[in-house]
Amino acid sequence: MKIVFAVLMLVVMAGVFTPRIYAQEASDEQAVSEQDQAYIEWAQQLWDSFELQTGMVELNKANATLNIPDSFYFLNSSDSQKVLVDVWGNPEGNKPLGMLLPAGSTPFDSDSWAVTIEYEEDGYVSDKDAEEIDYAELLLQLQRDAREESKARVEQGYDAIELVGWAAHPFYDQAENKLHWAKEYKFGSSATNTLNYNIRVLGRKGVLVLNFIADINQLPEIESQLDTVLALANFEQGSRYADFDPDIDQVAAYGLGALVAGKVIAKTGALAILVVLLKKFWVFLLFGVGALFKVFYRKLKAS
């Protein structure tokens, strides 16, 4: 198992290079062993295999559409799973419907961030309690829950976890039926805190789940793109929140407060997203390869 993990780390590290560009600049960057070269070629082939989509993308499972602007690109479910598992080194889980990344970046960049997209069909989530939620009290409860979770994690040999607070206060847009908020987490002795930024788009039969994968230092950049991301995801006619029919449609067993509190966290995969982010940035920090990502970025710009 340790051998597999070590190989995976090399794969992630090697993914920052491309053979064509690197061959020209090896003397300026770093010598490449034959083993490294094999991984470089793997990364190049993987990147070349990805289908980068813009414009209108249909999410048939959710009866929703994404209108992807030129400032982003969309990876389908299969390509997204390859990024999460093969590039970022996470265990296999439920495949997301897709993933958004900023244009001009790749999953191999040290400063990359992404938005995973999932769908939970648990029924119509009532927003009647939207104005009654005490988010200050909710935060205190979440912090208490995090401390209990931390104790269990430490006993199992994992880093302690601390919910520092809201990185962005919860906000519900009742006209658009879109909810978003962000939490800041600290894991162990990590010098960089984790950002868990969430968007939920409410529909007639379920919720679109959009989770940002980033670190806390990228909060300003993400907030500058928030309106764009909020606008690009919508349910199709007949599946929108306003199309709810109380006589025939199922009502979810939870409300907006539960979405923010993470009471359905096992279903939405929010904790899994935190693991994705931690593994991703821990690998980058461990190997100290941030400067070498410039090579891959120049290749992308050139193509």
Side-chain angles (χ1 to χ4, degrees):
M1 189 68 182
K2 291 182 179 179
I3 295 176
V4 173
F5 182 78
V7 169
L8 181 58
M9 294 301 97
L10 287 173
V11 169
V12 176
M13 182 173 67
V16 305
F17 305 107
T18 65
R20 292 193 292 269
I21 297 294
Y22 192 88
Q24 300 171 6
E25 304 187 13
S27 60
D28 297 330
E29 301 287 351
Q30 179 179 325
V32 182
S33 68
E34 291 184 3
Q35 187 179 37
D36 289 338
Q37 186 66 35
Y39 288 120
I40 292 168
E41 293 174 359
W42 168 85
Q44 180 72 66
Q45 291 173 1
L46 184 61
W47 171 252
D48 290 343
S49 73
F50 288 160
E51 179 185 357
L52 279 59
Q53 302 178 57
T54 57
M56 199 65 68
V57 174
E58 295 184 359
L59 301 177
N60 294 325
K61 179 181 177 181
N63 290 321
T65 57
L66 304 175
N67 189 6
I68 312 298
D70 291 338
S71 55
F72 285 90
Y73 63 89
F74 176 82
L75 296 179
N76 62 30
S77 179
S78 178
D79 288 345
S80 297
Q81 185 77 343
K82 291 175 184 177
V83 170
L84 295 173
V85 176
D86 298 336
V87 180
W88 291 349
N90 290 275
E92 291 197 30
N94 294 332
K95 288 184 179 180
L97 297 181
M99 176 183 287
L100 292 170
L101 289 97
S105 71
T106 80
F108 304 95
D109 297 336
S110 59
D111 59 351
S112 65
W113 57 270
V115 183
T116 57
I117 302 171
E118 301 172 80
Y119 176 62
E120 295 298 333
E121 191 169 325
D122 291 339
Y124 173 90
V125 178
S126 173
D127 63 357
K128 291 182 179 180
D129 65 343
E131 297 181 358
E132 301 173 3
I133 302 172
D134 185 340
Y135 288 113
E137 177 58 35
L138 181 57
L139 177 60
L140 292 176
Q141 181 59 54
L142 289 172
Q143 290 174 323
R144 289 192 289 267
D145 292 345
R147 285 193 288 270
E148 291 301 314
E149 171 68 16
S150 182
K151 292 177 183 178
R153 286 173 57 88
V154 171
E155 290 175 357
Q156 297 171 17
Y158 295 98
D159 284 339
I161 179 175
E162 176 190 356
L163 173 54
V164 178
W166 300 122
H169 197 272
F171 176 79
Y172 178 60
D173 185 337
Q174 198 154 16
E176 296 291 332
N177 305 117
K178 295 179 180 180
L179 171 69
H180 57 88
W181 73 95
K183 303 170 189 173
E184 179 179 355
Y185 286 91
K186 181 176 180 61
F187 284 79
S189 58
S190 175
T192 303
N193 287 352
T194 294
L195 176 65
N196 181 223
Y197 212 121
N198 306 269
I199 295 174
R200 302 293 182 265
V201 182
L202 277 57
R204 176 181 180 178
K205 297 182 179 180
V207 179
L208 274 177
V209 177
L210 283 70
N211 286 323
F212 287 80
I213 303 174
D215 72 24
I216 196 64
N217 297 327
Q218 294 169 301
L219 179 59
E221 180 182 359
I222 287 174
E223 288 186 325
S224 72
Q225 298 290 337
L226 182 61
D227 288 344
T228 300
V229 176
L230 282 167
L232 61 80
N234 290 287
F235 285 97
E236 297 174 356
Q237 188 70 38
S239 295
R240 298 173 184 173
Y241 197 73
D243 297 323
F244 171 69
D245 186 338
D247 293 329
I248 60 174
D249 291 333
Q250 175 186 345
V251 177
Y254 51 85
L256 294 183
L259 286 177
V260 178
K263 298 304 182 184
V264 288
I265 206 166
K267 295 180 68 61
T268 62
L271 281 181
I273 294 300
L274 289 178
V275 174
V276 166
L277 178 136
L278 281 172
K279 177 63 72 63
K280 175 188 170 190
F281 286 95
W282 176 78
V283 169
F284 293 153
L285 292 172
L286 175 66
F287 287 100
V289 295
L292 299 178
F293 283 80
K294 296 177 182 177
V295 176
F296 199 91
Y297 182 74
R298 283 196 290 271
K299 181 267 178 185
L300 176 64
K301 295 285 282 186
S303 64

